[in-house]
Amino acid sequence: MSLRKKEIEELLIENGLITERQLSRAQDQAAKTGDPVTKILVGMGFVTDKDVTEMMGLQLNVDFVDLDNMELNPDIVKTIPDNLAKRYNVIAIDLVDNRIRLAMADPADILAIDDIRLVTGYDIEPVIATESSLKKVIGTQFGSTDLAEVEDTVKDISAADFGDMEVDDNAEEEVSLDELTKLVDEAPIVRVVNLIISQAINDKSSDIHIEPDAKSVRVRYRVDGVLHEVMQPPKHIQAPMVSRIKIMSSLDIAERRIPQDGKIHLKHDGREYDLRVSTLPCVHGEKVVMRILDRGSVMIGLGKLGFYPEIQAQLENMVDKPYGMVLVTGPTGSGKSTTLYSVLNRLNTVGVNIMTVEDPVEYQIAGINQVQQNNKAGLTFASALRSFLRQDPDIIMVGEIRDGETATIAVESALTGHLVLSTLHTNDSSGAVTRLIEMGIEPFLCSSSLICVLAQRLARTICPNCKEAYVPPMESIRKFGLAAYTDSEITFYKGRGCDTCKMSGYKGRTGIHELLVMSDRIRSLILQRCSTAEIRQCAIEEGMKTMPDDGLRKVLDGITTIEECLRVVFIEGQEI
């Protein structure tokens, strides 16, 4: 097995996809974590899954196919039974002369090839595809967890599992603790909750919302930043469903008057997930929100976050400095934590001591000392930072700067030989300076400690399977400030909607960024207590590309749509 991995690494170098230095860094990280070197290379952003899979194809002498950009014939796909396709993670992409062209993650899996040849009666020609693209296509073609199964299970509960209890969907929630305890252990309610969670994971949801209404319960998933309603179970299963989730997350099912927070750890399709659970008493019962945290997603490199090369190079140059403060700003859900974790992955080597204080610790990274904030025990961001300074750190990450005390210690740490990474809630990069000063940080300390500020948002990307071009009307060109481009025809792109994107026209998200790098002129303006607008104007004159600039570029490059860009970046009445 080690020989096979080594051969793939050699092929990556021979084809110019990685350098010897990058390989050495990945090998050091693999020695600490025990993960395959190729997985580390992908996580660091040096190569993609596609690159590694192509090299594996070269090694095995089979063709590589890019399923993400391929139109499949459903009749050919269905030549293989869905149970075999899901068991072996394979898909039929072509059928010629009694021979199936079979896309596989592992073309050397002789057992899978023999089973499919026996069942279908066709000869098999294996080709290789990425594991993620195979799972996505199989889920689209055959369906993953069917929500109809949840609804059927709900009906079963209604019919058989409430015993002598009176079921009234219009009644308020009045279920005794003894009845709840009995119900939450019954197979049907367990199956309902498990199916809701597994479907959310299959749909790449970031959050599950279970919301009580007067006569029903609404279940919604947040996919690519937008909420979608998926089902409305009857009111009578609200109490056992919420209680089942509470038991899974070690919460008190008898307490329904105050908010509670918990955590669920589970495995799904071989991957580990943490669900951060929050309950909140509302008028019609308890609302539950579960944030889905994929432990594997933290191994994402900066190269996958939507940075244009010149901005990524600037950011990497800034975080390579031995001391100073780097801030990432934006609203909740704008990807700040993912960016910081990606930076930490890049900096995480044997030679540095990295310490973080977070609320909560969303992802655990080998080789990094992570501390969970605990206000009840007196472990705050500020107190943890004071302790960090006695632990000989090189790099410190603070989950969020929320108050003046935390800001003061973070700034002092940045001025005494430490690289400090943190987040701040501001609308743009230049607003971070004003926010720190409002927290009581003196302007001369801000100007001395800050290295750069990255502001960002997340925009949905156009589905590659149904992407199509169109020429916008002249009114739109004028409205969006594109009159300077009218000498040549402007082409916008959109998704018309397909099964892959569930008719939304969007699949996945990308970052829209604005990187303000401290210069002598900007430091001088900070010392003079100049306004946010003046600092911003100076940064633009020195070459900073604003978020509207970055968003428009992604629209013209066909990455996202102008409507999506307006949704996440621009305020009402503002023009590009």
Side-chain angles (χ1 to χ4, degrees):
M1 195 67 181
S2 60
L3 178 61
R4 179 177 180 181
K5 289 177 185 173
K6 181 179 179 182
E7 289 174 351
I8 292 174
E9 294 152 15
E10 289 173 349
L11 287 169
L12 289 169
I13 291 175
E14 289 172 8
N15 285 271
L17 295 170
I18 60 170
T19 64
E20 293 280 0
R21 184 183 176 194
Q22 289 171 334
L23 176 59
S24 177
R25 283 184 58 189
Q27 288 171 333
D28 289 343
Q29 182 74 2
K32 291 190 296 181
T33 64
D35 289 328
V37 174
T38 49
K39 180 180 177 181
I40 300 294
L41 287 168
V42 172
M44 288 180 165
F46 297 146
V47 293
T48 64
D49 284 327
K50 181 180 173 182
D51 294 329
V52 173
T53 306
E54 282 193 82
M55 294 306 103
M56 190 180 295
L58 281 178
Q59 183 192 53
L60 298 174
N61 196 29
V62 297
D63 292 337
F64 168 81
V65 292
D66 185 359
L67 294 178
D68 291 332
N69 297 307
M70 181 179 290
E71 289 281 353
L72 297 179
N73 183 334
D75 293 332
I76 293 175
V77 169
K78 299 295 172 62
T79 56
I80 297 177
D82 60 345
N83 64 316
L84 288 182
K86 291 176 180 178
R87 183 194 306 170
Y88 294 119
N89 200 28
V90 299
I91 201 85
I93 61 173
D94 203 1
L95 177 59
V96 179
D97 296 333
N98 211 39
R99 177 184 291 265
I100 290 178
R101 204 157 190 251
L102 187 69
M104 312 176 67
D106 182 9
D109 188 347
I110 302 300
L111 180 61
I113 293 173
D114 286 345
D115 273 5
I116 293 168
R117 181 188 292 119
L118 183 65
V119 169
T120 63
Y122 293 115
D123 291 331
I124 304 299
E125 178 192 345
V127 295
I128 195 167
T130 63
E131 187 172 355
S132 59
S133 67
L134 279 163
K135 285 184 177 179
K136 183 170 70 176
V137 170
I138 290 169
T140 301
Q141 296 291 335
F142 295 107
S144 44
T145 303
D146 191 355
L147 283 172
E149 187 180 345
V150 181
E151 294 170 356
D152 291 341
T153 305
V154 168
K155 292 176 184 176
D156 291 342
I157 298 174
S158 172
D161 292 277
F162 274 75
D164 297 329
M165 291 176 55
E166 236 177 80
V167 175
D168 182 0
D169 286 349
N170 297 321
E172 294 295 322
E173 177 186 348
E174 292 182 357
V175 184
S176 74
L177 186 59
D178 289 340
E179 290 168 335
L180 273 180
T181 304
K182 177 184 175 183
L183 281 172
V184 296
D185 290 329
E186 296 290 337
I189 200 66
V190 171
R191 192 158 68 248
V192 166
V193 173
N194 289 347
L195 288 173
I196 287 173
I197 293 173
S198 61
Q199 179 65 36
I201 292 173
N202 290 335
D203 286 352
K204 307 294 183 188
S205 308
S206 60
D207 301 86
I208 304 170
H209 290 239
I210 298 176
E211 302 164 322
D213 205 347
K215 298 182 179 181
S216 65
V217 184
R218 182 168 63 168
V219 178
R220 295 193 291 174
Y221 296 161
R222 187 179 295 279
V223 181
D224 293 337
V226 178
L227 281 169
H228 303 274
E229 184 173 316
V230 292
M231 65 180 299
Q232 281 198 8
K235 184 71 174 176
H236 64 257
I237 77 159
Q238 173 189 318
M241 185 164 62
V242 170
S243 297
R244 172 62 188 168
I245 293 170
K246 282 184 171 183
I247 287 174
M248 292 172 71
S249 47
S250 302
L251 300 180
D252 183 2
I253 66 169
E255 182 55 76
R256 308 178 197 174
R257 300 164 298 170
I258 61 174
Q260 297 187 67
D261 295 306
K263 193 174 185 179
I264 300 171
H265 176 71
L266 56 87
K267 283 190 176 182
H268 179 75
D269 283 346
R271 293 173 70 96
E272 293 190 355
Y273 296 86
D274 287 320
L275 272 61
R276 206 167 68 209
V277 180
S278 172
T279 69
L280 180 70
C282 295
V283 174
H284 298 296
E286 288 181 281
K287 174 179 176 178
V288 178
V289 175
M290 292 181 274
R291 167 66 58 88
I292 300 172
L293 304 171
D294 179 1
R295 291 189 174 190
S297 67
V298 72
M299 292 299 292
I300 191 168
L302 285 173
K304 295 182 180 178
L305 300 182
F307 287 100
Y308 280 112
E310 61 274 18
I311 298 178
Q312 182 178 335
Q314 271 187 307
L315 179 61
E316 289 177 344
N317 184 45
M318 293 298 105
V319 300
D320 282 340
K321 294 187 180 297
Y323 57 86
M325 181 185 288
V326 175
L327 294 178
V328 182
T329 74
T332 301
S334 60
K336 301 186 298 296
S337 296
T338 300
T339 298
L340 283 182
Y341 278 121
S342 298
V343 169
L344 289 178
N345 265 324
R346 185 179 186 279
L347 300 173
N348 187 16
T349 61
V350 176
V352 295
N353 178 19
I354 301 176
M355 307 194 72
T356 77
V357 55
E358 306 166 59
D359 181 27
V361 175
E362 294 186 353
Y363 303 101
Q364 297 175 21
I365 307 176
I368 294 179
N369 306 285
Q370 296 173 272
V371 175
Q372 168 83 48
Q373 178 183 344
N374 187 340
N375 286 328
K376 290 182 180 178
L379 182 58
T380 63
F381 281 145
S383 62
L385 276 174
R386 288 194 196 94
S387 298
F388 282 5
L389 297 178
R390 296 188 289 272
Q391 293 282 322
D392 187 30
D394 298 297
I395 300 168
I396 297 171
M397 195 266 269
V398 187
E400 182 185 342
I401 295 179
R402 298 174 179 170
D403 52 62
E405 186 181 12
T406 304
T408 299
I409 301 171
V411 167
E412 289 173 352
S413 302
L415 291 172
T416 54
H418 308 93
L419 180 65
V420 178
L421 311 173
S422 190
T423 69
L424 203 61
H425 285 283
T426 61
N427 287 329
D428 56 21
S429 56
S430 50
V433 175
T434 306
R435 182 79 182 101
L436 287 174
I437 293 174
E438 287 175 351
M439 287 181 175
I441 306 300
E442 291 295 330
F444 76 92
L445 292 175
C446 281
S447 63
S448 301
S449 60
L450 269 180
I451 300 174
C452 68
V453 182
L454 174 71
Q456 68 178 52
R457 301 288 189 276
L458 289 177
R460 290 180 293 173
T461 53
I462 301 170
C463 173
N465 196 51
C466 61
K467 180 178 176 180
E468 60 184 16
Y470 72 99
V471 178
M474 187 58 66
E475 298 79 41
S476 295
I477 292 175
R478 292 196 184 97
K479 177 184 176 183
F480 299 133
L482 299 173
Y485 294 86
T486 53
D487 289 340
S488 58
E489 188 177 90
I490 297 178
T491 301
F492 284 178
Y493 297 86
K494 63 182 179 181
R496 67 177 178 273
C498 64
D499 291 339
T500 300
C501 61
K502 299 194 173 179
M503 305 308 295
S504 69
Y506 297 98
K507 192 71 177 174
R509 289 193 287 179
T510 189
I512 295 179
H513 305 100
E514 173 181 293
L515 182 63
L516 185 151
V517 177
M518 290 294 124
S519 66
D520 290 339
R521 278 185 65 195
I522 293 175
R523 289 191 173 94
S524 176
L525 292 176
I526 294 172
L527 291 172
Q528 297 170 44
R529 292 181 180 268
C530 290
S531 68
T532 296
E534 290 173 292
I535 294 172
R536 182 178 181 80
Q537 184 57 40
C538 177
I540 291 172
E541 290 172 1
E542 293 186 340
M544 181 184 80
K545 298 299 182 184
T546 65
M547 279 189 289
D549 293 333
D550 195 65
L552 174 58
R553 185 175 171 187
K554 286 182 167 70
V555 169
L556 295 174
D557 287 345
I559 297 171
T560 189
T561 65
I562 194 71
E563 294 82 9
E564 182 67 8
C565 204
L566 286 167
R567 184 181 73 85
V568 301
V569 175
F570 304 105
I571 62 174
E572 186 176 354
Q574 182 180 8
E575 292 187 346
I576 296 175

